[in-house]
Amino acid sequence: MEERKQKKQEEKKQKEALRAEAAELKKLEKEKLKWEKGKFALKSILAEIDSKVLESGAIGGHLLAKFAERGISFRITSNPIGRSILWKMSVPEQIAKLSNMVTEVPYILLVYQAEEFCDLVISESLLDHVQRVRTQYPLFTVCYLTNKLMSFINKCEQSQYKNSSKFSGWKRPRVEEAFARLATHCTKVHSRLCMDEAEIADHIVGLTTSLASCQFRKKLTWLSVNANGSIVSKDFIDRNLIKKNIWLKALVAIPKVQPRHAVAIWKKYPTMRSLLNAYMDPTKSVHEKEFLLKDLMLEGSLGREDRRLGEVCSKRIYRILMAQSGSILTDDVEDGADFFG
């Protein structure tokens, strides 16, 4: 009896331990879901600000005040690249083990005063600097932020006219050409011109907020961008129908396919599968399939079916939906690139 009693107590303790473990796992799973949805994004992001950013000009006061106002964590440090700001996500260790959340944000901001940036452009070392940043952070997006750049250049030009002897050796730096070169010759390299320190602080805080939340947003696809109903005119009578139906959205997303064309196809073929079944019918020739939709009638503004879909639109829809290669341009698909590959 004593042994049975002891065994029962052990089993009871074991069950309680298992229940506690299950409750802990459930709690941890809920916490993980909150982290993955970005509920703690702004609290977990940490901005690592290079000390040179705060030392140059009067940026420091505005920037730190803005960070404190929004409750965003920051750390003044010495980054491998001077005048830079980097970001990290501080995720609890237990959550990091269960989730595949990224702790390092792949973005680097380089803050330059106008004179410093002009020196980079004049010495033609801007692209070398980009290369150095790229070597240190190969997969990062790079942004060059400048303070009062255009006003500084204009001020120097005016001073040159007023006191030509003092500014005799000064030449206007080709900053516009430098920015154009960054855009055309470098990938994932941006630039931002700011008018004053307050605008810089607003931009950096806004950027921090965006970087904190962007990795938790649902990833956009070509279809989600082009077929969200925004390309359907507001006065179209079936606008709400298209916005609620995925198949209609997909049809409208095909270039040059109008909403009324999509509705006419939907009435005959209510799902993508029903149309694809017709396209994959072995008894029909390619020519027949290309002109399968040409006789579908379209509704006019008064609700009367007064026009046909047409051969051009029918052929376009067939060739795009039955394209074999996803990398071919839409216009080339329409011209039959798949058939002449």
Side-chain angles (χ1 to χ4, degrees):
M1 282 175 71
E2 194 65 34
E3 280 178 8
R4 280 183 200 161
K5 192 178 177 182
Q6 196 175 351
K7 195 176 180 181
K8 278 183 182 179
Q9 283 178 347
E10 282 175 8
E11 283 175 358
K12 192 179 177 183
K13 282 179 184 178
Q14 216 169 20
K15 283 178 183 176
E16 283 174 2
L18 287 169
R19 278 198 212 102
E21 194 179 336
E24 190 64 33
L25 280 170
K26 197 175 180 182
K27 187 181 174 183
L28 202 60
E29 190 63 32
K30 279 185 181 177
E31 197 79 3
K32 181 175 88 84
L33 283 171
K34 283 182 182 178
W35 275 93
E36 286 176 348
K37 285 178 181 176
K39 300 279 185 187
F40 307 112
L42 206 57
K43 289 180 182 177
S44 62
I45 197 162
L46 172 72
E48 296 185 331
I49 307 168
D50 188 74
S51 55
K52 287 180 183 176
V53 174
L54 306 178
E55 289 165 8
S56 60
I59 296 170
H62 290 276
L63 183 57
L64 299 185
K66 273 283 178 187
F67 271 127
E69 187 185 312
R70 293 295 300 274
I72 297 169
S73 304
F74 63 88
R75 184 171 67 199
I76 299 162
T77 180
S78 179
N79 290 333
I81 304 289
R83 301 184 184 87
S84 66
I85 300 178
L86 295 160
W87 288 268
K88 282 184 179 175
M89 301 293 288
S90 53
V91 184
E93 193 178 339
Q94 285 180 310
I95 303 293
K97 283 177 183 176
L98 291 171
S99 177
N100 56 353
M101 285 175 62
V102 179
T103 54
E104 195 173 49
V105 180
Y107 197 101
I108 178 168
L109 183 72
L110 299 154
V111 184
Y112 277 87
Q113 291 296 332
E115 195 172 351
E116 295 165 345
F117 190 79
C118 285
D119 289 342
L120 266 181
V121 175
I122 291 166
S123 62
E124 297 183 353
S125 56
L126 180 59
L127 289 179
D128 292 335
H129 189 270
V130 173
Q131 193 57 45
R132 192 159 68 86
V133 176
R134 274 267 173 270
T135 306
Q136 187 76 33
Y137 303 101
L139 301 174
F140 279 44
T141 299
V142 183
C143 181
Y144 283 86
L145 185 146
T146 55
N147 183 30
K148 302 178 183 177
L149 180 62
M150 301 318 292
S151 61
F152 170 78
I153 291 170
N154 292 335
K155 190 178 176 182
C156 287
E157 283 185 329
Q158 288 168 12
S159 302
Q160 188 182 23
Y161 290 122
K162 289 175 186 175
N163 189 357
S164 57
S165 59
K166 188 179 176 183
F167 287 85
S168 58
W170 190 84
K171 284 185 179 179
R172 190 185 197 280
R174 297 177 178 178
V175 290
E176 292 87 357
E177 188 181 319
F179 287 133
R181 197 173 281 274
L182 286 181
T184 56
H185 288 62
C186 308
T187 55
K188 295 171 75 176
V189 179
H190 309 303
S191 59
R192 172 70 190 244
L193 304 177
C194 288
M195 300 290 287
D196 54 25
E197 288 81 5
E199 191 182 343
I200 287 176
D202 284 337
H203 176 73
I204 292 172
V205 170
L207 178 63
T208 304
T209 308
S210 298
L211 290 173
S213 60
C214 70
Q215 61 179 313
F216 301 105
R217 289 182 199 140
K218 194 176 178 182
K219 295 287 183 287
L220 293 175
T221 63
W222 188 90
L223 189 62
S224 67
V225 172
N226 291 277
N228 60 0
S230 60
I231 52 178
V232 180
S233 59
K234 289 183 180 178
D235 58 349
F236 183 66
I237 195 166
D238 291 317
R239 178 181 168 84
N240 288 330
L241 176 67
I242 288 175
K243 290 186 82 171
K244 289 175 184 175
N245 190 299
I246 300 293
W247 173 221
L248 284 170
K249 281 185 181 183
L251 285 168
V252 171
I254 296 172
K256 301 173 189 173
V257 173
Q258 296 174 25
R260 58 196 185 125
H261 296 160
V263 171
I265 296 164
W266 170 73
K267 283 180 179 177
K268 176 74 174 173
Y269 301 98
T271 62
M272 183 184 276
R273 169 51 60 193
S274 60
L275 180 57
L276 290 177
N277 283 341
Y279 280 158
M280 291 187 284
D281 185 355
T283 61
K284 290 188 178 79
S285 66
V286 172
H287 181 79
E288 285 176 311
K289 291 171 186 176
E290 283 189 340
F291 299 118
L292 183 69
L293 309 174
K294 69 182 177 70
D295 292 322
L296 294 179
M297 298 304 291
L298 310 178
E299 277 190 11
S301 54
L302 299 173
R304 288 181 299 186
E305 295 184 339
D306 52 1
R307 290 187 64 187
R308 293 185 310 119
L309 186 77
E311 295 176 358
V312 176
C313 189
S314 177
K315 188 189 286 187
R316 179 182 300 119
I317 290 166
Y318 171 77
R319 289 190 174 182
I320 287 172
L321 289 183
M322 297 301 287
Q324 299 297 310
S325 173
S327 60
I328 298 177
L329 295 175
T330 310
D331 291 341
D332 294 338
V333 171
E334 288 177 38
D335 294 335
D338 262 358
F339 300 111
F340 309 110

